[in-house]
Amino acid sequence: GELSYLLADLDTREAVLIDPRGRDLPVLQAMLSERELRLRWVLRTHHHDVLNPGEPGRLAQLGVPVLQGEGRGSASPVAEGEVLPFGDEVLRVLATPGHTAGCLSFAWRDRLFCGGLLAVDACPHQPIPAEPEALWDSVVRHVFTLPEETLLFAGHERRARAVSTVLEQRRW
């Protein structure tokens, strides 16, 4: 039920991983190698490192900056509005607290990778939002202001679905 995303610019061979899990590193590294991709960033929409304290160390083994809302240990903080280039592509950072205090979402083209923001009840580590009021504000201020066809990618599957749209979420 935990999802990771690999985005790549196939012309420049640069890539980013969003929400990789340490236990999945062998398969993720194999995918990078198979496609001859150079990893530029590891991006975390949210984390539950208190429950899994070895996770930051495992992700650091990838040898690239690990960026998250609350930079601790080997991770670096990243803030609202920052632009993260990879190849000829860019991701834009949105602060979307609520599921956890330091949640981020990453906008790329017509997609938003939003971690546990919209699939809070599907998160096995935290079934209720840490900050419900902040979560509501993040959804209303950031997600619902995007074009209705924007694809929303969750960090956890919800009833076997990981992708939705802004329009669908507004209707729910």
Side-chain angles (χ1 to χ4, degrees):
E2 297 176 311
L3 303 168
S4 300
Y5 298 97
L6 170 63
L7 307 179
D9 178 335
L10 295 179
D11 291 331
T12 64
R13 317 303 297 170
E14 279 197 344
V16 298
L17 284 170
I18 300 175
D19 288 336
R21 304 306 187 283
R23 69 179 174 274
D24 298 330
L25 290 186
V27 73
L28 294 171
Q29 288 172 316
M31 290 172 62
L32 291 164
S33 178
E34 177 183 308
R35 299 288 183 171
E36 299 176 349
L37 299 172
R38 290 179 315 281
L39 190 58
R40 174 80 190 267
W41 311 101
V42 169
L43 308 175
R44 299 178 82 193
T45 61
H46 68 291
H47 60 87
H48 302 284
D49 291 342
V50 171
L51 301 172
N52 193 0
E55 191 72 356
R58 286 189 287 277
L59 295 177
Q61 293 174 9
L62 290 167
V64 299
V66 177
L67 306 178
Q68 62 191 39
E70 299 169 328
R72 294 185 190 149
S74 59
S76 299
V78 64
E80 169 81 26
E82 286 192 50
V83 175
L84 305 172
F86 67 102
D88 294 327
E89 300 283 344
V90 295
L91 287 152
R92 189 171 43 91
V93 178
L94 285 81
T96 51
H99 174 62
T100 63
C103 281
L104 299 174
S105 293
F106 300 98
W108 177 62
R109 297 181 180 178
D110 64 345
R111 296 159 176 83
L112 184 70
F113 297 87
C114 51
L117 186 65
L118 297 169
V120 175
D121 63 341
C123 178
H125 308 294
Q126 187 170 327
I128 60 171
E131 300 177 354
E133 297 86 1
L135 186 137
W136 176 259
D137 190 52
S138 293
V139 170
V140 171
R141 267 188 328 110
H142 284 302
V143 177
F144 286 177
T145 60
L146 296 170
E148 60 187 31
E149 66 275 5
T150 302
L151 298 172
L152 304 172
F153 289 81
H156 306 283
E157 67 180 342
R158 185 179 186 161
R159 291 183 291 278
R161 291 196 62 215
V163 181
S164 169
T165 66
V166 169
L167 177 62
E168 183 177 19
Q169 291 300 316
R170 283 184 197 149
R171 288 183 176 165
W172 283 354

